[in-house]
Amino acid sequence: MGCFRSTAYACGVALFNAIFTFGATVSNPITWVDNPDPSIVRVEDTYYMVTTTMHFAPGVPVMASKDLAQWRTVGYAYQTLVDNDQQNLDNGKDAYGKGSWASSIRFHKGFFYVLTPSYTTGKTHLYKTADVENGPWTETTLPFYHDPSLFFEDDGTVWVFYGSGDQISYVQLNDDASGVKVGGRSGTLDGVSINAVTNTTQYYVQQEGAHMEKVNGEYYLYTISWPAGKCRSSIVYRSKSLLSGFSGRIFLQDNGVAQGGIFDTPDGKWYALLFRDSGPVGRIPYLVPTSWKDGWPVADGGKAPATLDLPENALPGYGMVTSDDFDSEVLPLEWQWNHNPDNRNWSLSANPGHLRITTGRTDSRIVNAKNTLTMRTFGPKCSGRTLVNGAGMKDGDMAGLVALQDDKGFVALAKESGSYKVVMYQGTKDGESEKASAPISGSEVYLRVDFDLPLDHGTATFYYSTDGSTWKKIGDDVSLSYSLHMFTGYRFGLFNFATKTAGGYADFDWFKIGSDYKDEIYLDMVQDTIPPTPYKDIAAKVPGKIEAENYDVGKPNRAYYDKSSENQGKVYRDEAVDIVGLECSDSANTKDCKGYAVGYTQEGEWLRYTVNVEEIGEYEIRVNMATASENAGVKLYIDDKAISEIIYAEQGEDWSTYTTVTAKTSEISAGEHALKMEIVGNYVNVDWLEFCKESCKTTGLVHRVELGVQGLRHYRVYSLNGAFVGSVAARNANEARAKIRTMVFEKGIYLMRSQNGSISRFMVTR
């Protein structure tokens, strides 16, 4: 990450308070998201976790947390596992259910190590970096080791513990982990026998998933076993010697929660991080509080608890998913491609603000199509939707949204004989077929998939819309199941593939994901860490007049809260907030307007304004409003503290007759503050607010802020941790980026916000 020369901000991923104090009751699993085979390491006050994502690319996501509740993906161990036919979906081959499997993450002498085996390459890949967020990563290949655990011993030796069956094997690496040590030790661990622990020889899965830890000079090996007639079980072995003298016992046999290891917190608490096979949503991780008794780790209460006391609540979508407006130069880390992408045939710049997927060949099935961009689902319910434009499609093309696993379904825009229709397909591992279709008049359509994902089963439902607000169900619900062939939880996928002629393209305007179709989760660091900024970068003055439509620039729930995502006013600003024109030249009130007001409001909606209060004191406040509703008005807050009672608008016969209502505020301190205007009641239009130190005398509209001299626009620049690091003035975004690059002395990704609120990422290399 880079910083401007003139600043001294620390660069790094924006995480959370490191003080481990309990502040929330959090549901277990800690992420209701497909995160199988978890491996965890703590580095000072930060936890890093890796999980399995099989054939998806980039692979082996590294997730970070300060509190074990709020996790974010901060990087990947590799961009490309291997460049071969299987991973490229070439020549009829694929890597479904293979790719990279259970990984092991370690931190040793300033470096992170991630060890992952691959049934696609037949090798084990060891990745190393000093910086999990930015890399670079180096790679060493080793022989294939099933479910390996990397271990650095205090004497400087390096080991891998691996395998399946009654026993667990080991092999010694070079002391710098650069390869298998010539003449080094290898064999099976003495005393490790799952048959001796379970007193049976009958299993669904005998033993695998090794995790080796050293605690207070003793060695603890965790594995998983699934005895016949029992649930999946977590096993722990203990010894005072690394390679011999082990004895074992069952650590946890509860509801199938198993496979993983133990770790401690900075203040001495212990947990096991395990996972559970949970049906269509995938394999999901659980935290198990752990105590020590007679030198053995013991699961508290012998259970994986339903809730945990942690410092924070989980992030929306458990921090694993995000909506994307495709307005950046790079994709958010929450996306992964289905197999290796063909980088010649997708673009974020061919039509700025859109993801373009171009077909490079013909395919008969969606599972063979390249450049399907995927994101995980989450439980218990989630919904994803997109807007796709098929003006560039060719006959036989299908572009849309898939519920991806073997028992799949998808809804798509299809072009046939020069016309467009919406189709719904359903299928299994062996093939898909069209189940429903509906003609549409244009080349653009909204598509949506809703998932119902309680533990162990699920359904997917498919919809389309021609206006983004009225949704029509298409086809039947698809009953979901977890298939070992793909070996992953269900995913959303954006796709475009050709069945007749290659070369067509589809443009995806955005992808929205949430707990339902009205929800939008934005986990992009821009949304999470950059506070709203004043409209056109100029804070409103108090005393003075504030135009209601000039609320701050920022994302929903930060700069504003609007219950409807549709902009019914369709003027002034292109956001969900409804703005209506005043005294306009046309009947629709959209052209040559003399003023604007916020309209179509509903109870509880609010707008935020950055204000600069010149003098401490109480103020007179006037609000110009129109309503035909009873008991409708506004209430004002400064920094979330109420400064007024409810200011009710005078009820009129319609919403076009505005009257001014006067009220008093409580004392407001001088300086910059966040003013929030909250709507009380329904359907009150707000034109402006005016703060006066004594009594208000001014009337009329204020002049609107114009661009600076010679058409220069101001661009605010942030590091990825959300800290404001500077601004530049430029005629356009390209010129702004060029200016910023000349000021940067470190490589990294930067975030740039323009005056109209659009946000983009760009990379600086050295």
Side-chain angles (χ1 to χ4, degrees):
M1 306 211 179
C3 296
F4 283 93
R5 289 190 180 92
S6 60
T7 64
Y9 291 101
C11 296
V13 64
L15 291 170
F16 303 90
N17 196 315
I19 301 173
F20 205 85
T21 57
F22 296 138
T25 300
V26 178
S27 296
N28 221 4
I30 56 169
T31 72
W32 199 318
V33 180
D34 190 38
N35 269 317
D37 308 319
S39 175
I40 191 169
V41 65
R42 178 174 62 84
V43 181
E44 296 179 349
D45 62 355
T46 303
Y47 306 90
Y48 295 92
M49 174 174 67
V50 294
T51 61
T52 299
T53 53
M54 298 290 178
H55 45 276
F56 296 106
V60 191
V62 183
M63 291 153 277
S65 175
K66 291 281 189 180
D67 49 35
L68 299 175
Q70 298 187 340
W71 292 89
R72 289 300 310 273
T73 302
V74 297
Y76 288 90
Y78 64 79
Q79 294 298 309
T80 303
L81 174 67
V82 64
D83 184 12
N84 65 10
D85 283 355
Q86 289 91 342
Q87 197 62 43
N88 291 336
L89 288 173
D90 280 337
N91 298 315
K93 298 181 180 180
D94 65 68
Y96 286 114
K98 298 181 175 66
S100 58
W101 277 32
S103 302
S104 174
I105 186 171
R106 299 292 183 182
F107 184 78
H108 180 67
K109 293 184 176 180
F111 288 93
F112 291 88
Y113 295 81
V114 172
L115 185 68
T116 188
S118 171
Y119 278 91
T120 299
T121 66
K123 300 176 181 178
T124 303
H125 302 257
L126 179 58
Y127 300 96
K128 175 183 176 182
T129 186
D131 186 349
V132 292
E133 298 172 36
N134 301 300
W137 293 80
T138 60
E139 179 186 8
T140 298
T141 56
L142 305 171
F144 181 82
Y145 302 123
H146 178 79
D147 283 7
S149 177
L150 183 63
F151 184 80
F152 291 90
E153 177 60 300
D154 294 340
D155 63 4
T157 56
V158 185
W159 305 84
V160 176
F161 299 91
Y162 67 97
S164 60
D166 182 45
Q167 296 180 299
I168 295 296
S169 300
Y170 65 88
V171 64
Q172 186 177 2
L173 303 185
N174 296 327
D175 291 352
D176 61 358
S178 60
V180 177
K181 185 178 180 65
V182 176
R185 300 182 65 179
S186 62
T188 57
L189 290 174
D190 173 62
V192 171
S193 169
I194 191 61
N195 293 348
V197 172
T198 62
N199 197 31
T200 185
T201 58
Q202 304 299 312
Y203 302 90
Y204 304 120
V205 176
Q206 190 171 11
Q207 181 174 236
E208 60 185 6
H211 286 252
M212 180 68 82
E213 303 292 346
K214 188 176 185 178
V215 181
N216 295 329
E218 292 195 47
Y219 302 90
Y220 296 87
L221 176 72
Y222 273 78
T223 65
I224 180 180
S225 178
W226 192 356
K230 304 287 186 179
C231 66
R232 298 168 72 254
S233 307
S234 178
I235 311 298
V236 61
Y237 298 90
R238 173 190 177 193
S239 175
K240 294 183 180 296
S241 174
L242 178 63
L243 304 178
S244 62
F246 282 91
S247 60
R249 60 171 58 174
I250 293 174
F251 171 76
L252 183 68
Q253 198 169 64
D254 175 47
N255 199 29
V257 176
Q259 187 163 342
I262 56 172
F263 65 96
D264 66 345
T265 67
D267 55 354
K269 296 179 178 66
W270 284 87
Y271 293 92
L273 179 62
L274 311 173
F275 77 88
R276 179 185 185 274
D277 288 2
S278 298
V281 75
R283 298 178 289 168
I284 56 182
Y286 286 73
L287 276 179
V288 180
T290 298
S291 302
W292 292 87
K293 184 176 181 180
D294 300 327
W296 286 92
V298 178
D300 290 356
K303 296 285 185 180
T307 60
L308 299 156
D309 290 328
L310 294 176
E312 297 285 349
N313 286 304
L315 292 170
Y318 302 93
M320 301 290 108
V321 302
T322 187
S323 299
D324 191 1
D325 295 332
F326 300 124
D327 57 2
S328 177
E329 295 179 351
V330 294
L331 290 167
L333 292 174
E334 288 74 21
W335 288 114
Q336 287 179 286
W337 298 99
N338 179 24
H339 292 68
N340 292 341
D342 178 357
N343 291 321
R344 300 166 299 174
N345 285 314
W346 72 274
S347 175
L348 293 170
S349 59
N351 183 5
H354 298 75
L355 167 69
R356 174 168 292 182
I357 301 177
T358 303
T359 62
R361 68 183 188 195
T362 59
D363 288 291
S364 60
R365 298 186 60 197
I366 188 174
V367 292
N368 301 329
K370 294 193 177 189
N371 290 343
T372 296
L373 187 61
T374 77
M375 190 172 293
R376 282 174 279 194
T377 58
F378 65 91
K381 293 177 182 290
C382 63
S383 177
R385 61 194 189 278
T386 189
L387 172 59
V388 60
N389 187 303
M393 293 169 63
K394 296 189 175 184
D395 278 357
D397 290 1
M398 286 189 284
L401 186 60
V402 62
L404 184 61
Q405 233 275 5
D406 280 338
D407 290 336
K408 69 188 71 62
F410 67 78
V411 58
L413 177 66
K415 188 173 184 180
E416 186 176 290
S417 301
S419 298
Y420 294 90
K421 63 180 179 178
V422 179
V423 296
M424 185 271 175
Y425 275 62
Q426 184 177 347
T428 65
K429 180 172 71 70
D430 300 316
E432 301 83 40
S433 61
E434 182 179 313
K435 299 299 181 181
S437 68
I440 61 172
S441 58
S443 61
E444 190 171 79
V445 70
Y446 299 81
L447 305 173
R448 178 179 127 209
V449 180
D450 289 355
F451 282 93
D452 186 9
L453 294 168
L455 297 180
D456 302 322
H457 60 95
T459 57
T461 309
F462 302 83
Y463 302 86
Y464 75 96
S465 172
T466 56
D467 60 10
S469 58
T470 302
W471 293 94
K472 298 178 181 179
K473 182 179 177 181
I474 184 168
D476 295 329
D477 291 354
V478 174
S479 180
L480 309 178
S481 62
Y482 187 90
S483 166
L484 295 181
H485 170 252
M486 280 203 182
F487 221 161
T488 65
Y490 273 81
R491 292 194 171 214
F492 295 99
L494 302 177
F495 67 88
N496 179 33
F497 71 97
T499 63
K500 295 180 180 179
T501 306
Y505 62 85
D507 287 337
F508 295 86
D509 195 346
W510 41 257
F511 174 75
K512 311 287 188 186
I513 187 170
S515 57
D516 59 38
Y517 75 94
K518 296 180 180 180
D519 188 20
E520 297 179 10
I521 295 172
Y522 276 94
L523 285 180
D524 189 297
M525 293 173 190
V526 180
Q527 324 300 337
D528 282 350
T529 61
I530 297 178
T533 54
Y535 185 67
K536 295 195 174 177
D537 272 344
I538 299 178
K541 293 182 179 180
V542 173
K545 184 175 287 186
I546 302 170
E547 292 296 326
E549 67 271 21
N550 288 345
Y551 57 91
D552 282 357
V553 173
K555 285 294 182 179
N557 301 318
R558 296 182 67 83
Y560 63 88
Y561 172 61
D562 192 291
K563 294 183 178 179
S564 171
S565 61
E566 181 183 4
N567 186 331
Q568 298 188 68
K570 297 182 172 60
V571 292
Y572 198 68
R573 294 175 71 168
D574 186 20
E575 291 174 325
V577 176
D578 306 305
I579 299 175
V580 296
L582 304 177
E583 298 182 55
C584 306
S585 62
D586 64 328
S587 59
N589 289 322
T590 60
K591 296 180 180 179
D592 303 319
C593 301
K594 293 183 179 180
Y596 301 93
V598 173
Y600 299 94
T601 57
Q602 298 181 60
E603 174 86 24
E605 295 180 340
W606 53 262
L607 299 166
R608 181 190 192 273
Y609 306 83
T610 300
V611 297
N612 192 342
V613 180
E614 295 180 358
E615 182 180 353
I616 187 173
E618 298 178 355
Y619 286 79
E620 182 175 291
I621 176 72
R622 298 201 309 161
V623 187
N624 199 36
M625 297 179 284
T627 186
S629 303
E630 292 183 355
N631 300 322
V634 299
K635 188 173 183 178
L636 304 180
Y637 300 78
I638 287 286
D639 300 332
D640 289 326
K641 181 180 179 181
I643 61 167
S644 77
E645 300 295 331
I646 297 174
I647 306 172
Y648 288 106
E650 292 187 12
Q651 184 180 4
E653 295 182 356
D654 55 34
W655 288 270
S656 61
T657 302
Y658 287 78
T659 57
T660 301
V661 180
T662 302
K664 290 286 188 180
T665 72
S666 57
E667 185 177 89
I668 307 174
S669 61
E672 187 170 285
H673 300 281
L675 168 68
K676 182 170 78 172
M677 181 181 72
E678 182 182 50
I679 302 299
V680 177
N682 293 307
Y683 303 113
V684 56
N685 290 6
V686 184
D687 185 7
W688 48 259
L689 308 84
E690 185 178 22
F691 287 81
C692 308
K693 188 63 180 110
E694 296 179 357
S695 60
C696 297
K697 298 178 181 179
T698 58
T699 59
L701 297 172
V702 299
H703 294 292
R704 308 193 184 282
V705 179
E706 302 294 340
L707 290 177
V709 295
Q710 298 181 345
L712 292 179
R713 298 174 182 265
H714 292 280
Y715 296 82
R716 298 168 69 91
V717 185
Y718 301 83
S719 63
L720 272 184
N721 68 356
F724 172 67
V725 295
S727 64
V728 296
R731 285 184 293 270
N732 53 53
N734 288 333
E735 181 179 299
R737 293 188 189 100
K739 286 187 176 183
I740 294 165
R741 287 187 172 103
T742 65
M743 302 169 64
V744 173
F745 67 91
E746 288 187 16
K747 67 180 181 179
I749 297 174
Y750 292 84
L751 310 169
M752 183 174 70
R753 170 177 275 159
S754 65
Q755 284 183 207
N756 66 7
S758 65
I759 299 169
S760 62
R761 294 188 189 184
F762 65 98
M763 182 175 292
V764 175
T765 59
R766 285 287 183 267

